[in-house]
Amino acid sequence: MNILMVCLGNICRSPLADGLLRHKVERDGLSARVDSAGTANYHVGGPPDERMTETAIQNGIDISVLRARQFEVADYDRFDLIYVMDKSNYHNVTRLARDEKDIEKVKLILDELGHSNSIQEVPDPYYGGQAGFDHVFDLLDRATDVIIEKLKYG
Ligand code: 4NP
């Protein structure tokens, strides 16, 4: 199973989702491949935002080696599942889809938390304070736990 995490800049939310899922895949000895990308090209080649890197490190996850890249159509061939953080990401990714099969691969990551979850989108923490980064960590930690359960038990 190849899984891609996508946000806008690929420096805050999707690198964390990538790092969390990679960490849990390795921890549990699973064979999934995990990567991340942004719909925009502003930060291509750069490291994750240092506030996100620091929040991750505080929680035992190292995302410092990741580098931003832009989502491209070929990602539809490389990945089985494409998790987006918000509806804007969903729109930007699916408008590059070539057919229904591509579109079916794209999911809002918080949909994995089920219908009891009141929030559908992972808020962009870029222009906010530390509480926003902590909130993103909590949401993505929970969502990646569900993804891991699905990888294990289908
Ligand atoms: P991300 O956050 O999509 O979670 O990586 C952002 C990072 C950078 C910008 C916007 C969102 N930006 O406008 O530069």
Side-chain angles (χ1 to χ4, degrees), residues 33-103:
R33 187 181 138 227
V34 185
D35 194 15
S36 63
T39 59
N41 64 2
Y42 322 132
H43 299 282
V44 168
D49 185 290
E50 60 187 27
R51 297 166 296 174
M52 196 79 262
T53 303
E54 189 55 32
T55 305
I57 278 289
Q58 299 287 338
N59 289 281
I61 307 291
D62 183 7
I63 59 170
S64 64
V65 296
L66 300 178
R67 292 295 176 268
R69 73 172 180 87
Q70 190 171 21
F71 179 83
E72 57 190 12
V73 175
D75 287 319
Y76 277 118
D77 299 319
R78 299 183 188 118
F79 295 94
D80 306 295
L81 266 173
I82 299 170
Y83 283 113
V84 293
M85 304 295 131
D86 62 32
K87 291 173 188 174
S88 167
N89 306 150
Y90 185 88
H91 176 74
N92 287 323
V93 167
T94 54
R95 76 179 172 186
L96 296 176
R98 299 155 299 185
D99 53 30
E100 256 329 289
K101 203 166 140 273
D102 285 352
I103 292 173

Side-chain angles (χ1 to χ4, degrees), residues 5 81-87 89-90 94 103-123 139-140 142-148 150:
M5 302 294 189
L81 266 173
I82 299 170
Y83 283 113
V84 293
M85 304 295 131
D86 62 32
K87 291 173 188 174
N89 306 150
Y90 185 88
T94 54
I103 292 173
E104 282 169 10
K105 293 182 176 184
V106 188
K107 299 182 190 310
L108 278 167
I109 193 165
L110 294 189
D111 280 357
E112 293 294 9
L113 295 180
H115 297 299
S116 60
N117 182 51
S118 56
I119 125 167
Q120 266 196 307
E121 304 182 288
V122 182
L139 290 170
L140 292 177
R142 287 162 50 206
T144 51
D145 277 347
V146 177
I147 296 167
I148 286 287
K150 285 194 169 176

